[in-house]
Amino acid sequence: MGTNILGIGQSALAAAQMGIATAGHNIANVNTPGYSRQQLLQSAAAAQNVGGSFIGQGTVVGEVRRVYNQFIAQQVNTTQSSQNYSAAYLNQIQQISNLVADQSAGVSPALQEFFSSIQNLAISPNGTAGAAARQAVLSTGSSLASRIQSLGGRLDQVSEDVNNRIGQTVTSINAFSKQIADLNDFIETAQAISGGAAPNDLLDQRDNAITELSKLVNVTVVDQGGKYNIFMGTGQPLVLGAKVSVLQPTSSLTDPSRIQVSYESNGTLVQLNEQSLTGGELGGLFAFRSNSLDTARNSLGRIAVSIATEFNDQHKLGQDLNGQAGTDFFSIKGPVSTPSAINTSAANMSVSFSDVGALTTSDYRVQYLAGVVPAPNYFKITRVSDGSVSTSTTLPAVVDGLSFNLAAVGSPAAVVTPGLNDEFMVRPTALAASSISMALTDTSKIAAAVPVTTSLPSTNLGTGKFSSGVVNSLVSGTSNSPNGVIGSIVVGDSYKSSTLTPALNLTFATGPNSLAGFPLGALVSVTNAGVTSNYQVAAVAAPAATPPQVVNVPYTSGATVTYGGVSFVIKDNPAAPAAGNTFTLGSSLPITPTKLTYNSGGNNFTGFPANANVTVKNGNTTTSYVAGSAIPYIEGSTISFNGLSFNVSGAYANGDVVNITTNPSGSGDNRNAGLLAGLQTKNTMASGTTSFQGAYGQFVSSVGNKAHELEVTNKSETKLLSQALQAQQSESGVNLDEEAANLLRYQQAYQAAGKLMQIASQLFDAILAIGR
């Protein structure tokens, strides 16, 4: 019996000792990240049947089990990933929000000051005040360009910072993945050695590493026989048992300045789609870059392009103090196209602005894809921001104010056909803001005047009025056709004066009707009833080529013909032009002096320049007249010819004369300055729906709204994370008061067990004494 009592005491003593060690271990790790408190599990030993009664044999220590709730742990990891995602996004976008909303750094004040100086010049174009106003225009223009450039440069720095952060995050992901894989191996070994016992501390370390990994990227854990397989985002494996898929930061295939994430597969780096990397800091950085930073750079760039292009276009329609036509006021970079690094050809895209008013804030992906028989191969142009797709079997193609074409490569310049599946990334405005600068530095070259003026002799008997006129196009169209008429010319934002130097003479040919005279190699688009056909002019026709090669461009009455950024319409009036009739496109400057005479009998004007086609706009009705026609006088109408427009009104007497001449000097003329000032409130952006100031306000508002949205989201995610952590700690965390109570409990048990063993020893000694 003494032996049995001694055994019971020994088991009790061992259990109390392990209980004290377990409580002490909990206390020692109260501040250890990821530690789960441990409990000693024990049960009564099997009783012994003695004399018909079962006598207890003490206690059996089962295992030391960690208190761990896998469901709560998954909640913690999920909320941890979401909170870090919103925090990373918020920290980045707050930089932009603070920057664009700052009155001292924002564009809005500089824009207002610039146009205020233009208005002052329109008010005081002469003398000392005029000279000061001109200097103010240059100074405020330079300040505006510098402000936009500085803001664009700061956004470029943010982009570089995001690249660095992505690289650092990838390094951390690899480190935690390696730690998890090693722990998988250690845990398997420990379980094999112990016969399946759980190595609690190693399990805690692995779970903590997964929690830390979830801060960086959203992860999914799959338990496979005690080993954890870790997948990130939408299924990319990070850890498979003891094997790690190492990630690498690599340059984007279509943008070397943009860092992406790749993994190695069979010795080849495979780039992951950033949309598949969700959650955590990495997901937040990618989401910020694609949803906010790219849009911010493009938005600011679009504003810069619109200001520079619209102002330049109007400035070039004016006249400076030297009597010369205006030149570019601002300088700015155009669209950038980057071929994918895995393209099979040397082709690239040449993209230009055809209409800056139609520009969006998106980048574009251009792909050359194989068509389905019998359809030919085609170009697929995808607007990245919303996935909108446009297709064309030939180029050029105009999408959202951009003209997409193949670039000339090499010397002599040649066009390389893309290989199938070749891809190009086109960034129309991303780099524009940081590139804007002043192209004008001489105050005398500010084109505040208009190069045309009119006068009505004092000998006129009527009260007719004829406005001083404006130049509304740098290109004029004339013809010698008694039937066909060429309407007003629309000059796109990609037009260069060298395109029509010398003037382009197009000759009408019949059998079939066509236009000859375009230079060899010229790309010409013909749009009829909304359908655009592209042609390339060649010495010998090749209809099967892409685009079709023609000697002469097919003619359809009323179709819009586009060449070199210039669009025009030739139409029958009333019959088709005759073979040999010529249509000429050339510069509208310098002005051809003209003397118009009013004829009361026909209520019309005569005397327009030879070959000039004239249009008369009355309300919403526009009528074109062939060269040499008498032009009817309509009260309040606008008469246009050779790129000039005039408003007519009043009562003319027979024989009244209107003299149209070149403006002898730009001094004292504020007409173009007034038109330049009017650009401030003119809706020139977003397809004519907003002004420069309105577009910038929308840009600031969108950034601010997104920052506020993320601030609210981050507060919510932080609260959810706090609740999840509290739930986890309430179950798995170490409570020092509880552990102190356990220590006392196990201490008392230890002391009692020791007393039991002492009694057992005394009983045994008594038995031995009987034998003596």
Side-chain angles (χ1 to χ4, degrees):
M1 178 63 71
T3 303
N4 289 342
I5 296 174
L6 183 63
I8 292 171
Q10 286 176 334
S11 68
L13 190 67
Q17 186 176 17
M18 290 188 66
I20 292 173
T22 301
H25 187 60
N26 287 339
I27 293 171
N29 288 281
V30 65
N31 294 317
T32 299
Y35 178 80
S36 300
R37 68 186 177 92
Q38 298 177 7
Q39 290 179 330
L40 176 65
L41 301 181
Q42 61 185 91
S43 60
Q48 182 180 6
N49 187 357
V50 178
S53 298
F54 285 92
I55 306 300
Q57 300 298 304
T59 186
V60 175
V61 175
E63 64 173 323
V64 177
R65 185 184 65 184
R66 64 178 184 145
V67 179
Y68 177 77
N69 188 313
Q70 186 175 7
F71 175 72
I72 294 178
Q74 289 176 348
Q75 282 188 322
V76 169
N77 291 343
T78 301
T79 53
Q80 188 78 70
S81 183
S82 299
Q83 193 276 336
N84 278 58
Y85 169 92
S86 61
Y89 201 145
L90 176 61
N91 290 338
Q92 293 297 325
I93 199 171
Q94 280 180 334
Q95 297 182 59
I96 301 179
S97 181
N98 295 337
L99 194 62
V100 300
D102 187 348
Q103 287 296 316
S104 61
V107 172
S108 186
L111 190 62
Q112 292 175 355
E113 290 174 2
F114 174 62
F115 278 105
S116 292
S117 69
I118 298 291
Q119 291 167 1
N120 289 337
L121 177 59
I123 295 171
S124 304
N126 290 330
T128 303
R134 286 176 177 272
Q135 184 58 57
V137 169
L138 284 188
S139 297
T140 55
S142 178
S143 176
L144 174 61
S146 297
R147 190 74 59 86
I148 295 175
Q149 188 181 91
S150 175
L151 191 54
R154 184 67 186 91
L155 293 179
D156 292 343
Q157 291 175 2
V158 172
S159 178
E160 185 61 30
D161 178 60
V162 169
N163 282 340
N164 294 334
R165 292 282 299 276
I166 290 173
Q168 294 167 3
T169 304
V170 167
T171 300
S172 298
I173 289 174
N174 288 334
F176 284 118
S177 298
K178 178 66 166 56
Q179 182 181 357
I180 294 169
D182 290 343
L183 286 168
N184 273 339
D185 195 25
F186 296 157
I187 290 170
E188 183 180 41
T189 302
Q191 287 178 327
I193 293 173
S194 65
N200 294 326
D201 294 329
L202 291 178
L203 293 174
D204 281 342
Q205 291 177 30
R206 184 175 66 180
D207 289 330
N208 184 61
I210 292 172
T211 299
E212 293 299 316
L213 182 60
S214 69
K215 295 179 181 179
L216 304 177
V217 67
N218 186 36
V219 295
T220 302
V221 181
V222 177
D223 189 349
Q224 187 176 27
K227 288 185 177 181
Y228 279 179
N229 294 333
I230 310 297
F231 301 87
M232 69 173 181
T234 56
Q236 171 62 31
L238 275 179
V239 179
L240 294 175
K243 182 180 178 182
V244 178
S245 294
V246 178
L247 304 180
Q248 295 186 33
T250 56
S251 295
S252 169
L253 297 175
T254 53
D255 183 2
S257 67
R258 190 182 185 94
I259 294 299
Q260 300 283 19
V261 178
S262 300
Y263 69 96
E264 185 175 337
S265 176
N266 297 323
T268 302
L269 285 177
V270 179
Q271 202 162 92
L272 293 169
N273 185 339
E274 64 182 57
Q275 304 298 327
S276 69
L277 302 175
T278 59
E281 183 176 347
L282 185 63
L285 291 172
F286 277 130
F288 161 73
R289 185 171 69 181
S290 61
N291 298 334
S292 294
L293 179 58
D294 287 349
T295 301
R297 296 176 77 186
N298 290 338
S299 296
L300 185 63
R302 182 178 68 155
I303 294 169
V305 167
S306 296
I307 291 173
T309 304
E310 297 290 352
F311 199 88
N312 285 348
D313 287 349
Q314 185 59 54
H315 193 259
K316 287 185 288 188
L317 297 177
Q319 183 181 30
D320 63 21
L321 285 178
N322 304 317
Q324 301 298 313
T327 58
D328 281 343
F329 190 89
F330 293 105
S331 175
I332 197 165
K333 182 177 290 187
V336 176
S337 173
T338 307
S340 173
I342 59 175
N343 283 0
T344 58
S345 74
N348 198 0
M349 301 299 298
S350 173
V351 184
S352 59
F353 301 122
S354 63
D355 179 9
V356 298
L359 293 179
T360 69
T361 58
S362 179
D363 295 334
Y364 294 81
R365 180 180 295 107
V366 182
Q367 298 165 288
Y368 187 59
L369 303 175
V372 179
V373 176
N377 300 333
Y378 66 99
F379 292 91
K380 178 182 178 182
I381 303 172
T382 305
R383 189 192 301 151
V384 175
S385 61
D386 60 6
S388 175
V389 172
S390 300
T391 59
S392 178
T393 56
T394 60
L395 296 179
V398 177
V399 177
D400 294 339
L402 297 167
S403 178
F404 294 83
N405 206 347
L406 289 174
V409 179
S411 181
V415 174
V416 178
T417 301
L420 288 179
N421 301 316
D422 276 4
E423 181 176 320
F424 311 87
M425 180 59 68
V426 175
R427 307 169 70 200
T429 60
L431 305 181
S434 56
S435 73
I436 189 171
S437 62
M438 290 290 292
L440 204 64
T441 57
D442 186 349
T443 57
S444 68
K445 292 186 178 180
I446 297 176
V450 172
V452 63
T453 187
T454 62
S455 63
L456 284 74
S458 59
T459 55
N460 281 2
L461 300 177
T463 59
K465 297 180 180 179
F466 208 92
S467 70
S468 54
V470 294
V471 179
N472 53 22
S473 175
L474 292 172
V475 177
S476 66
T478 59
S479 75
N480 62 3
S481 175
N483 295 321
V485 62
I486 182 169
S488 299
I489 310 298
V490 177
V491 178
D493 293 315
S494 61
Y495 169 72
K496 293 180 174 56
S497 59
S498 58
T499 302
L500 298 179
T501 305
L504 179 65
N505 294 308
L506 301 178
T507 303
F508 192 83
T510 56
N513 292 346
S514 60
L515 295 171
F518 289 102
L520 290 177
L523 289 169
V524 183
S525 299
V526 179
T527 302
N528 184 41
V531 178
T532 299
S533 301
N534 296 316
Y535 303 96
Q536 184 175 26
V537 178
V540 178
T546 306
Q549 294 181 353
V550 295
V551 177
N552 299 334
V553 175
Y555 165 81
T556 300
S557 177
T560 300
V561 181
T562 302
Y563 161 69
V566 177
S567 297
F568 56 93
V569 174
I570 300 176
K571 61 181 179 180
D572 303 346
N573 189 24
N581 285 174
T582 301
F583 299 87
T584 301
L585 278 71
S587 175
S588 59
L589 302 175
I591 305 299
T592 301
T594 303
K595 181 179 180 179
L596 303 182
T597 302
Y598 176 74
N599 306 288
S600 60
N603 188 33
N604 56 41
F605 288 102
T606 58
F608 289 91
N611 297 339
N613 291 164
V614 182
T615 61
V616 177
K617 183 178 181 181
N618 180 36
N620 294 324
T621 302
T622 300
T623 306
S624 298
Y625 298 88
V626 297
S629 299
I631 306 303
Y633 167 60
I634 302 174
E635 171 79 19
S637 64
T638 299
I639 296 177
S640 302
F641 66 96
N642 287 359
L644 309 175
S645 290
F646 307 88
N647 296 323
V648 294
S649 61
Y652 287 85
N654 187 54
D656 281 356
V657 171
V658 178
N659 293 312
I660 302 173
T661 60
T662 299
N663 191 356
S665 171
S667 177
D669 187 347
N670 66 350
R671 287 177 291 161
N672 201 47
L675 294 173
L676 290 170
L679 292 175
Q680 180 181 15
T681 56
K682 187 177 180 181
N683 289 341
T684 56
M685 298 188 63
S687 299
T689 61
T690 189
S691 63
F692 304 139
Q693 195 79 43
Y696 185 75
Q698 292 174 2
F699 163 51
V700 174
S701 177
S702 65
V703 172
N705 288 339
K706 188 64 178 180
H708 178 69
E709 172 193 331
L710 284 164
E711 188 175 356
V712 173
T713 301
N714 184 247
K715 286 181 180 179
S716 174
E717 294 293 349
T718 302
K719 183 65 176 178
L720 290 174
L721 175 60
S722 176
Q723 292 173 349
L725 289 173
Q726 287 177 3
Q728 185 184 54
Q729 287 301 305
S730 67
E731 184 167 345
S732 300
V734 176
N735 186 313
L736 291 178
D737 292 337
E738 180 182 354
E739 297 305 325
N742 287 338
L743 279 178
L744 291 175
R745 181 162 57 88
Y746 285 122
Q747 178 188 13
Q748 292 174 350
Y750 190 88
Q751 291 171 341
K755 187 65 175 177
L756 177 62
M757 292 184 68
Q758 182 183 9
I759 293 173
S761 177
Q762 291 174 350
L763 291 174
F764 188 68
D765 287 342
I767 293 174
L768 290 177
I770 294 173
R772 296 190 188 102

